[in-house]
Amino acid sequence: MSAPSVPGSAALPAPDDARWLEAAIALAVQNVADGGGPFGAVIVRDGELLAEGQNRVTRDLDPTAHAEVQAIRAACRIVGDFSLTGTTLYTSCEPCPLCLSAALWARVDRVVFAADRDDAARGGFDDREFYELFAKDRSEWTLPIDSVRPDNAPAPFDAWLAHAARTHY
């Protein structure tokens, strides 16, 4: 259980938060020394390290290889499931919308971050643009998002619902 929030300030840390945030920050700093981006993340369950991740975007030429996503992927492989219920994701910086979405899809119980989006912007990573974009109507986006609906558009979902051995989300 996390500590209550104090109005106008950051949440009070749970006893192990400082320990795990320090681990995430150390991964981020080491990643910079190794030529990667300044982001690190760890996933913890029951007070034990489950997995860790470092930003691999430029190393792997993969724009989705954010530290949080890497940690989530590793944790899912370790537990053998796409659900990370019962875990906390600690990250060196406030998750961008991609990473926040990944944490939601993975069913992480809690996300704790150190630096915020303003710190990231100072480093040249301005996630605020994405947060602001998602707050706008899609008609205002610079990236066109178009719906084209052929007659068979629902076919994948019909196949999914008819497949008796499907894995339920």
Side-chain angles (χ1 to χ4, degrees):
M1 175 180 280
S2 63
S5 293
V6 176
S9 70
L12 298 172
D16 285 341
D17 286 353
R19 170 185 173 202
W20 296 115
L21 284 173
E22 185 58 39
I25 292 167
L27 284 169
V29 171
Q30 182 60 51
N31 203 45
V32 170
D34 294 340
F39 303 97
V42 298
I43 296 181
V44 176
R45 179 181 273 161
D46 298 326
E48 299 292 325
L49 177 66
L50 186 59
E52 57 187 37
Q54 293 171 300
N55 182 283
R56 299 292 192 221
V57 171
T58 56
R59 187 198 79 178
D60 294 351
L61 305 177
D62 179 354
T64 69
H66 293 203
E68 298 90 338
V69 173
Q70 296 292 89
I72 288 168
R73 289 172 178 162
C76 288
R77 283 190 300 272
I78 289 166
V79 302
D81 198 344
F82 61 85
S83 175
L84 296 177
T85 301
T87 64
T88 299
L89 169 62
Y90 291 93
T91 181
S92 62
C93 188
E94 181 178 6
C96 72
L98 168 73
C99 295
L100 188 55
S101 296
L104 289 166
W105 278 111
R107 296 165 179 83
V108 169
D109 284 7
R110 182 172 177 239
V111 176
V112 181
F113 63 88
D116 62 20
R117 63 183 77 176
D118 295 320
D119 296 308
R122 188 174 61 81
F125 301 88
D126 197 355
D127 299 345
R128 287 178 296 202
E129 291 181 26
F130 295 113
Y131 282 106
E132 291 168 2
L133 177 68
F134 290 132
K136 293 179 182 179
D137 186 88
R138 282 190 181 170
S139 65
E140 298 178 41
W141 290 20
T142 57
L143 172 67
I145 307 291
D146 299 319
S147 175
V148 177
R149 190 170 175 86
D151 290 340
N152 67 342
F157 296 101
D158 294 340
W160 171 257
L161 292 170
H163 187 60
R166 70 181 179 271
T167 301
H168 293 275
Y169 278 69

